[in-house]
């Protein structure tokens, strides 16, 4: 269980990565491929939000979908009812997600151990039930459609998937930049200390509750912003797609498979698993429903056996090996 | 510098500490002895903020600290090292110490140089870039001390530093503590190795079954009939 600084350094490698993410549409991929790429980027942002607290500090949230759903519902409701631009709606959703995180963390971070996971799980179910119950406001279990007005950057509505992709890619770069920065800030060191031993961290002067709270709130904001763009992109949200437990698990899975202790792990995990999931879903009619989940489960089990710290650790190990041989 | 006034602690119905009162003056090295289960570690945990006393008051440098969380107590200049050495195994040796230094500066570069200085001071400079999990027991203990020093304590509580060390290592460690003391650190030390304690401490407190039963020079306390009886009683009970 080793974590090292920001990692995956090299200004050249970073610049190449940024260009690859932004330049993907230049490959002339199909609209379907760009849709998958957009979904990948958005889930990678949401999983990055999870990893700030779940990966960096090992405070596993089982309700990260709540933040995603808050982002999606707040912007969609504001847009559908009052015509508020999703740019402002997204900010409002992020603000509400931050407040929810503060309230939740205020309770959960007084306790050590698994309470955080349980409390996030409980809140996620509560929010889902309230949204399903309050049909007049939220559309209930039937969900909400984003009114299609016109192709417009102001309204965050586009005809082509690649336009959504550029928005999602910019959000992704911002999320990765934040996550990478936090890893190198005092907060990053404190979170790694908390990961290893909370009591030792407190004895070394770390304000454990404050560190967890900052990471949780920053992560909630990122995940909520992804939720807003997701709602605009798909044009439709319901509790199953943005507030469900399986989504929470998925987000955690992307981060864990990719490497939850690194800033780029959630992207690696999402880039592997989201396209795979889409592929399975599109062929699901033939192969039998639910096969995606079985496959996810198998990948997770394999990953935990081979390398519990995810693809990132696998890669680091290989690089170290290569250096040792050189 | 540190003052305890009738401090009591119970876990459920079990009284672990009963009305313990004492003071520690700046510049002292105070030893705390007592048989297993006497309440020594609990006492340290109350002082450093890991637990709260049920009744009584603890003051440090003129202010009440009972009820403050551990990181606040640490910020006031009161640090503790643990009985079971607690380092951050997933971090490098330097980063372990650096976490302590973050209490004094939020600048990573400055924190790193404070950490390096502390590691040098404890003879761990050569291991700075290793992973903390690669260290042996003695070096882990030094690392925990280095991390505590990085928080710039005025008073350091040391909970059984010598347990598991061989005679040579005990001597090196005692020398280390003496040097830290000569550089201005006040020390309170829990130790089972009475011989070591006698050589190091100016004053010893003896605890038995949650009560302070003796206090004074190492020689006087070690001859105190109640202390002798508590240890012999404990040994007889163990046998």
């Amino acid at each position: 269980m080793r974590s090292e600084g920001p990692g995956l350094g090299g200004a050249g490698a970073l610049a190449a990565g940024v260009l690859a993410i932004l330049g993907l549409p230049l490959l002339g991929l199909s609209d379907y491929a760009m849709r998958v790429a957009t979904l990948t980027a958005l889930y990678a942002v949401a999983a990055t939000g999870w990893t700030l607290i779940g990966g960096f500090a090992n405070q596993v949230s089982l309700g990260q979908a709540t933040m995603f759903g808050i982002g999606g519902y707040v912007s969609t409701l504001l847009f559908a009812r009052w015509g508020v631009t999703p740019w402002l709606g997204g900010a409002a959703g992020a603000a509400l997600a931050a407040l929810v995180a503060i309230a939740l963390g205020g309770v959960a971070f007084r306790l050590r151990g698994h309470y955080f996971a349980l409390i996030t799980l409980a809140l996620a179910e509560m929010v889902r039930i309230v949204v399903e119950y309050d049909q007049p406001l939220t559309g209930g279990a039937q969900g909400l459609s984003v009114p299609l007005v016109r192709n417009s950057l102001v309204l965050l509505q586009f005809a082509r998937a690649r336009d959504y992709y550029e928005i999602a890619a910019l959000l992704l770069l911002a999320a990765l930049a934040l996550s990478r920065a936090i890893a190198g800030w005092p907060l990053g060191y404190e979170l790694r200390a908390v990961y290893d031993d909370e009591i030792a961290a407190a004895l070394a002067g770390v304000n454990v509750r404050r560190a967890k709270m900052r990471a949780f709130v920053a992560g909630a904001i990122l995940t909520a912003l992804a939720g807003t763009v997701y709602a605009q992109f798909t044009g439709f949200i319901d509790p199953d797609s943005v507030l469900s437990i399986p989504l929470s698990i998925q987000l955690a899975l992307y981060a864990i498979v990719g490497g939850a202790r690194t800033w780029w792990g959630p992207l690696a995990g999402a880039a592997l698993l989201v396209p795979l999931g889409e592929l399975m879903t599109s062929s699901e009619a033939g192969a039998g429903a639910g096969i995606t989940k079985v496959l996810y489960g198998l990948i997770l089990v394999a990953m935990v056996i081979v390398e519990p710290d995810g693809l990132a650790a696998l890669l680091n190990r290989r690089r170290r090996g290569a250096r040792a041989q050189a | 510098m540190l003052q305890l006034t009738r401090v009591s602690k119970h876990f459920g119905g079990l009284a672990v500490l009963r009305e313990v009162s004492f003071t520690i003056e700046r510049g002292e090295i105070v030893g705390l002895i007592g048989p297993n289960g006497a309440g020594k570690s609990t006492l340290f945990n109350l002082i450093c903020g890991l637990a709260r006393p049920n009744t009584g008051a603890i003051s440090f440098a003129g202010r009440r600290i009972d009820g403050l969380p551990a990181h606040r107590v640490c910020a006031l200049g009161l640090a503790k090292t643990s009985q079971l050495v607690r380092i951050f195994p997933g971090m490098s040796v330097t980063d372990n110490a650096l976490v302590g230094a973050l209490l004094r500066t939020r600048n990573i570069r400055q924190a790193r140089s404070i950490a390096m200085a502390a590691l040098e001071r404890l003879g761990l400079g050569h291991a700075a870039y290793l992973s903390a999990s690669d260290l042996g027991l003695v070096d882990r203990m030094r690392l925990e001390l280095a991390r505590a020093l990085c928080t710039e304590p005025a008073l350091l509580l040391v909970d059984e530093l010598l347990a598991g060390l061989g005679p040579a290592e005990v001597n090196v460690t005692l020398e280390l503590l003496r040097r830290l003391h000569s550089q201005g650190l006040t020390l309170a030390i829990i130790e089972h190795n009475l011989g070591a304690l006698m050589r190091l401490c100016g004053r010893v407190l003896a605890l038995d079954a949650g009560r302070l039963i003796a206090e004074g020079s190492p020689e006087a306390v070690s001859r105190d009939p109640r202390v002798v009886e508590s240890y012999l009683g404990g040994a007889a009970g163990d046998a």
Side-chain angles (χ1 to χ4, degrees), chain A residues 196-239:
Chain A
D196 277 350
D197 188 337
E198 278 189 34
I199 291 176
L203 285 175
V206 174
N207 186 336
V208 174
R209 251 161 71 186
R210 188 184 65 186
K212 287 180 184 175
M213 189 68 105
R214 285 178 173 174
F216 189 37
V217 169
I221 290 172
L222 286 183
T223 304
L225 291 174
T228 293
V229 180
Y230 175 90
Q232 291 298 117
F233 169 57
T234 58
F236 172 79
I237 51 172
D238 64 1

Side-chain angles (χ1 to χ4, degrees), chain B residues 219-234:
Chain B
E219 296 75 23
V221 169
S222 64
R223 280 196 300 266
D224 188 295
R226 280 164 303 180
V227 175
V228 172
E229 207 246 338
S230 80
Y231 268 90
L232 287 181

Side-chain angles (χ1 to χ4, degrees), chain A residues 1-5 112 184-190 192-194 196-208 210 214 261, chain B residues 48 50 70-71 74 79-80 82 86-92 95 98-103 106-108 112 131 133-134 144 147 151:
Chain A
M1 298 298 243
R2 195 157 305 160
S3 81
E4 15 206 279
R112 265 194 281 273
W185 287 344
L187 177 59
Y189 288 84
E190 292 175 343
R192 287 193 288 278
V194 168
D196 277 350
D197 188 337
E198 278 189 34
I199 291 176
L203 285 175
V206 174
N207 186 336
V208 174
R210 188 184 65 186
R214 285 178 173 174
R261 302 195 68 181
Chain B
C48 77
L50 284 183
H71 67 91
C74 190
K80 185 186 96 115
S82 311
R86 300 188 95 128
I87 53 165
F88 306 126
M91 302 175 81
S92 75
D95 287 356
L98 190 155
V99 169
L102 288 175
L103 190 60
R106 300 303 279 180
N107 178 313
I108 292 290
R112 192 172 296 280
S131 165
S133 60
D134 293 338
E144 199 184 358
R147 189 179 65 203
T151 68

